[in-house]
Amino acid sequence: MSSLKLLAAPVAALALAGLAWLPWQPGPPAEAAERAVERISFATHDLPDSDGNQQQRPVAPDLEHIRPWISAVGASVGSMDLRGLGRPGDACLTDPRDDRLRVFPVPGSGGPDFEPFELHPDGLRYDRTMAPIGCVPTDIDQDGRQDVVAYYWGRSPVIFRNTGPGTGTPSADWFTAAELVEPMQVWNSTALNIADIDGDGLLDIAVGNYFPDGSRVLDETADDDPRMQMQHSMGDAHNAGVNRLYLGGGTEADGGLRFTDVSERWPEESADSWTLALGPQDLTGNGLPDLYVANDFGPDQLLVNTSEPGDVRLTEVRGDRDLTTARSKVMGHDSFKGMGVAYSYAPGADLPSIHVSNITTTWGLQEGNFAFYPTGRGEELLEGSFPFEDRAAEVNLAVSGWSWDIKPIDPTNSGREGFVQATGMIAGTEELWPRLQEMAMGNDQILSSPTSWMRIGQDGDISGDEPNRLWIPVGDQFVDAGSRVPFDESTPSRGFSVADVDGDGLQDVLVANQWARSQVHLNTSTPENPSVTLAVTRQGEHGPTPVIGAVVTVEGPGYSRTSQLYPANGHSGVSGSQLHFALPADALADATATVRWVDADGQHSTTFALIEGAQELRIDR
């Protein structure tokens, strides 16, 4: 072998590592880190097991040599309240080991038990070329009964509408499957979120797609399919399936749900990106959710929302680069692999920080996570400016591994949020990073052809032993407490759901593992403060329904903090539809919660007095 060939892999590694500038910052002092985590503990329980042990999915012939890569997504978990416990003690899970979508009571949640059951699209077209990738619990028709929206590779999403009695023992008979799109289309979806995009008071559905529309990725007979393409660039790919947006329109005369396709309003630069996560949040104060689109193989987008009922207007806003900022740290100009997005409000802050998972594997690919902190006013977004700057390295959040879902959490009721973060790609025994680095340096002209990709054997490993992260605030930085708790499983994971499943005032964590049994971590920490768990609802036909998009600000003596209700933010985890606030007892005594929301009549607000524990805030419009 020539010396040039011997040098190829290390040169590629150095080149890729140099794509991002990650200035080194010392983390919090060890003693401070230990004090911050000494109150934290979890009790871990397994979630219902799979009926199979599939470790790779069947794929199209052109993709056979990269089956592990193609099989690297599909684990998801979402929290919900199906039994009427007043807390999210139930969950849905998609498990790639048997490609099924299950609903079950969470171990340790209390209440009457029921047997786990499968949600299968009975009566709709479904075959072996389709697999569930994620489940989103939501009351999509806002009637007060818990529905589930599922998204797939191989077909467009399915709405499992709850038409059951709402009381008694939950079962699959409660749910009726319906198409989002008629007739069904072949999509390969990797993200789905629920929000009222146009501000008419009805819930809309945003879908992030991956492989090109029509490509039968999981069809073993799909030989020589011209649509079967990989990304055409490692850093600026725009040849994916089209992202979709459907506006809710109430019910038809026959009782079915009505949705209007307004996908043409999705900005072109974002519409054909390889999307892995969607994150709505009202950043401008106009009552409408702006949308962060986290993309694989290219720049993320922040879409600013100035819609009116029935008229969607989304405009991309990009950041500006200064002399000390690398181009790939600038909003809308990055070349990274965005795989998760979360928002977190610091105490007293008017704007949240925006946290995005990317790849940061030592000696693999050092892109760096994003932590965009506000530097100005949200109204500046309406003027085309991006009033945030990336501070991930400064706050010690830049390096985590091959990262996926990220969710805010305050495990000890400290009053300040940290984060859980899923990590890991493909677990095996044969290290493939050198080959991946070499392939990534190839010419973009051939990258979209699957035949140009390296062969990945069944024992291949790419960041397969990275631990999950539990980031805890210490001073102005964060420390990974996962190994101290412990909370550091090294099985590749994909999605987190944060919810108080047992109603004890502490946030628990459900984790969806890829190719392994998923788990719930029941929070047994020693709390620092009391907490309030707020369910913002309005009355539906069959009971209260969550007000998705509600903005809640809790205030008390010396205390103020805001949060917004978007449970499905991120990659493949859906948190509970309640908001959690921890505040000192002296602040709780006189605390209030101001709720803001929007509907077809405009913006509204009302204020409630608070008590410790769980509380329903019922709005009257």
Side-chain angles (χ1 to χ4, degrees), residues 50-374:
S50 166
D51 289 338
N53 193 32
Q54 177 179 245
Q55 295 298 301
Q56 298 178 22
R57 291 193 180 95
V59 297
D62 288 346
L63 305 174
E64 181 65 30
H65 62 295
I66 51 174
R67 279 180 66 191
W69 185 283
I70 302 301
S71 302
V73 296
S76 79
V77 64
S79 294
M80 57 181 163
D81 182 10
L82 192 57
R83 289 174 287 172
L85 300 177
R87 60 182 182 272
D90 310 310
C92 64
L93 178 77
T94 58
D95 194 328
R97 294 176 300 163
D98 60 8
D99 282 334
R100 294 187 179 182
L101 190 171
R102 291 181 177 81
V103 175
F104 52 87
V106 178
S109 61
D113 209 0
F114 67 90
E115 286 296 316
F117 59 84
E118 181 183 356
L119 289 180
H120 189 275
D122 295 327
L124 308 182
R125 179 183 167 187
Y126 197 81
D127 57 38
R128 59 182 176 77
T129 69
M130 307 168 188
I133 299 297
C135 60
V136 178
T138 187
D139 184 3
I140 193 63
D141 53 8
Q142 299 171 289
D143 70 347
R145 294 180 294 196
Q146 181 72 70
D147 311 307
V148 176
V149 181
Y151 53 101
Y152 301 81
W153 276 12
R155 72 168 349 268
S156 44
V158 173
I159 298 172
F160 290 96
R161 192 177 176 194
N162 188 339
T163 56
T167 60
T169 303
S171 70
D173 294 338
W174 284 18
F175 294 87
T176 302
E179 298 283 11
L180 172 63
V181 181
E182 290 278 10
M184 181 275 290
Q185 299 179 20
V186 177
W187 299 351
N188 298 283
S189 305
T190 46
L192 188 147
N193 213 319
I194 306 295
D196 179 7
I197 297 293
D198 64 341
D200 65 352
L202 300 174
L203 293 179
D204 311 318
I205 298 177
V207 185
N209 286 326
Y210 205 68
F211 287 98
D213 295 344
S215 56
R216 295 174 294 163
V217 175
L218 304 183
D219 187 351
E220 293 176 287
T221 68
D223 201 5
D224 298 323
D225 183 350
R227 293 164 296 194
M228 198 71 65
Q229 297 181 32
M230 305 298 288
Q231 75 280 5
H232 63 190
S233 170
M234 279 291 182
D236 193 25
H238 294 280
N239 64 327
V242 178
N243 291 337
R244 309 287 177 147
L245 180 58
Y246 285 82
L247 296 185
T251 57
E252 303 279 8
D254 61 1
L257 294 182
R258 179 168 59 248
F259 286 93
T260 301
D261 184 0
V262 293
S263 302
E264 74 279 0
R265 296 300 182 93
W266 202 299
E268 183 178 358
E269 183 73 10
S270 177
D272 55 2
S273 299
W274 294 70
T275 300
L276 285 174
L278 297 169
Q281 194 87 170
D282 178 11
L283 300 173
T284 68
N286 65 0
L288 301 171
D290 308 295
L291 189 63
Y292 192 102
V293 185
N295 298 315
D296 210 352
F297 309 120
D300 297 344
Q301 293 93 28
L302 181 63
L303 308 182
V304 174
N305 191 351
T306 56
S307 301
E308 295 181 355
D311 181 15
V312 172
R313 296 193 294 265
L314 300 172
T315 305
E316 182 183 359
V317 170
R318 301 186 183 190
D320 294 321
R321 183 183 182 187
D322 58 32
L323 290 175
T324 62
T325 304
R327 184 181 68 85
S328 277
K329 289 288 189 177
V330 180
M331 180 68 234
H333 295 279
D334 70 281
S335 57
F336 289 175
K337 318 295 178 290
M339 292 182 275
V341 58
Y343 299 89
S344 178
Y345 281 86
D350 294 325
L351 280 177
S353 50
I354 308 172
H355 298 263
V356 181
S357 289
N358 292 305
I359 300 176
T360 49
T361 297
T362 304
W363 301 112
L365 180 55
Q366 288 283 74
E367 291 182 336
N369 299 317
F370 294 144
F372 292 114
Y373 279 76

Side-chain angles (χ1 to χ4, degrees), residues 365-446:
L365 180 55
Q366 288 283 74
E367 291 182 336
N369 299 317
F370 294 144
F372 292 114
Y373 279 76
T375 59
R377 301 172 297 105
E379 293 89 339
E380 295 176 45
L381 289 164
L382 298 172
E383 302 165 1
S385 298
F386 181 69
F388 296 83
E389 66 177 5
D390 177 57
R391 295 176 52 200
E394 181 181 340
V395 300
N396 200 40
L397 286 175
V399 178
S400 57
W402 190 303
S403 304
W404 298 83
D405 209 14
I406 181 170
K407 291 286 191 294
I409 186 173
D410 180 3
T412 63
N413 289 345
S414 69
R416 296 179 61 199
E417 287 183 325
F419 303 92
V420 287
Q421 193 170 30
T423 63
M425 178 56 173
I426 300 170
T429 57
E430 181 186 5
E431 175 59 67
L432 294 180
W433 260 116
R435 275 195 272 168
L436 177 58
Q437 291 162 339
E438 188 171 9
M439 185 198 73
M441 298 300 291
N443 193 313
D444 281 357
Q445 297 298 315
I446 63 171

